[in-house]
Amino acid sequence: MSLTVDLSGKTALVMGVANARSLGWAIAEPLLAAGCRVGFSYQGERLKGELDKLLAGHAGVWSQQADATREEDLAALFARVREEFGHLDYLVHSIAYAPRPAMEGRFISTTSDDWNTALNVSAYTLVSAARHAEGLLRDGGSVVSLTYHASRQVVPKYNVMGVAKAALEAATRYLAADLGAAGVRVNTISAGAMRTVAARSIPGFSGLYDEAGRRAALGRHATPEEVGKLALFLLSDLGSGVTGQTVYVDAGASVMTMPLPG
Ligand code: NAP
């Protein structure tokens, strides 16, 4: 069976592409390949050069700076979405941050400031972005974000980011309930460990990465391309009927307690 997804006439906003390794970019690529018109937001001007390089050669794309924690940036970003597209079909949230000290020590030492920052950037921004998008999202619209299994099990050093991911997953369910009546779906993708800028800033990430590959049921890591394929499914009509879910793409690392012997 050959199944092609045609997203011509559809529009998407992807928030959080730092470079070619970003999971946001892994999601944008199949959207662009399927003919979707895509706008991008980036946090600071220092990332604009990288993004411009990625976008060169793609027709109909645009980008705008927006710190997702700033209401005025979000208001300007979604005003731009309205101006460029008139409506929005797909919203991709691929944003997370926790201050480094919160991921170096023991979880019990998390300061209130670091807690607030991590949860604000990594979870609340999904809620605020969805609120700004609400008036633009049409029936059949879909919102996707990215989470990680440390929301459910302790991953050493992930600390407050595990709590932020648990909040993101819960927020996904509440947003799905709020937006469901308008025919808009909200899901989050739980991706396996992947080598990105954000991941490299987690202390001990390479040990975690190696262990995930050893233990995964498929005996390998999931890839960014596989994250992109799952996002395409969840965003497009292929995923109609799926909402409020945390969907894993981790090559089965999270279902194993240890590698099979031999
Ligand atoms: P990434 O390429 O570094 O992307 C993270 C993005 O978040 C960056 O573009 C970063 O911008 C942006 N960001 C941080 N604070 C922001 C703010 N206040 N406003 C707007 N943007 C902000 O890393 P990634 O691994 O692809 O991360 C994307 C998502 O995947 C995150 O939610 C992450 O937790 C999730 N995830 C990653 C993995 C993994 O192993 N890589 C696994 C599961 C889930 P700056 O570069 O300017 O800070």
Side-chain angles (χ1 to χ4, degrees), residues 3-244:
L3 198 59
T4 50
V5 182
D6 179 7
L7 300 183
S8 45
K10 301 290 188 186
T11 63
L13 175 68
V14 177
M15 303 176 71
V17 175
N19 57 35
R21 285 173 175 268
S22 295
L23 300 188
W25 183 244
I27 293 172
E29 278 194 302
L31 291 178
L32 289 164
C36 189
R37 293 159 70 203
V38 186
F40 293 82
S41 69
Y42 54 92
Q43 179 179 201
E45 288 301 332
R46 106 194 128 74
L47 290 182
K48 187 170 168 32
E50 276 299 314
L51 187 56
D52 284 348
K53 272 192 253 164
L54 290 174
L55 300 188
H58 290 285
V61 291
W62 54 269
S63 66
Q64 178 155 322
Q65 186 276 331
D67 178 334
T69 64
R70 292 171 61 96
E71 270 297 308
E72 58 274 36
D73 286 12
L74 288 181
L77 175 63
F78 284 91
R80 176 87 183 266
V81 171
R82 186 178 292 282
E83 185 189 308
E84 296 277 352
F85 297 149
H87 72 275
L88 191 64
D89 294 295
Y90 311 130
L91 174 64
V92 177
H93 175 285
S94 188
I95 289 172
Y97 171 76
R100 176 91 187 183
M103 302 183 87
E104 282 171 342
R106 298 168 71 215
F107 172 70
I108 203 169
S109 306
T110 308
T111 64
S112 144
D113 279 354
D114 287 353
W115 173 287
N116 290 340
T117 299
L119 270 86
N120 187 30
V121 177
S122 313
Y124 181 69
T125 57
L126 174 68
V127 182
S128 49
R131 188 171 56 248
H132 280 274
E134 185 175 10
L136 293 162
L137 285 162
R138 307 190 289 191
D139 189 7
S142 179
V143 179
V144 155
S145 67
L146 285 142
T147 186
Y148 179 56
H149 189 58
S151 59
R152 299 183 181 189
Q153 283 193 302
V154 172
V155 173
K157 303 296 181 200
Y158 212 76
N159 293 359
V160 71
M161 188 60 96
V163 177
K165 290 305 191 190
L168 184 83
E169 292 169 20
T172 296
R173 294 185 281 274
Y174 280 90
L175 289 170
D178 277 353
L179 300 182
V184 174
R185 297 177 296 106
V186 187
N187 292 287
T188 187
I189 292 175
S190 190
M194 295 183 192
R195 296 186 195 278
T196 63
V197 175
R200 278 202 304 268
S201 68
I202 300 166
F205 175 77
S206 31
L208 174 89
Y209 180 82
D210 292 347
E211 174 59 24
R214 261 196 302 276
R215 127 185 345 195
L218 291 179
R220 63 169 177 84
H221 294 99
T223 64
E225 292 70 28
E226 289 169 329
V227 172
K229 285 194 287 185
L230 176 56
L232 186 64
F233 171 85
L234 289 172
L235 290 169
S236 72
D237 193 53
L238 291 173
S240 63
V242 183
T243 195

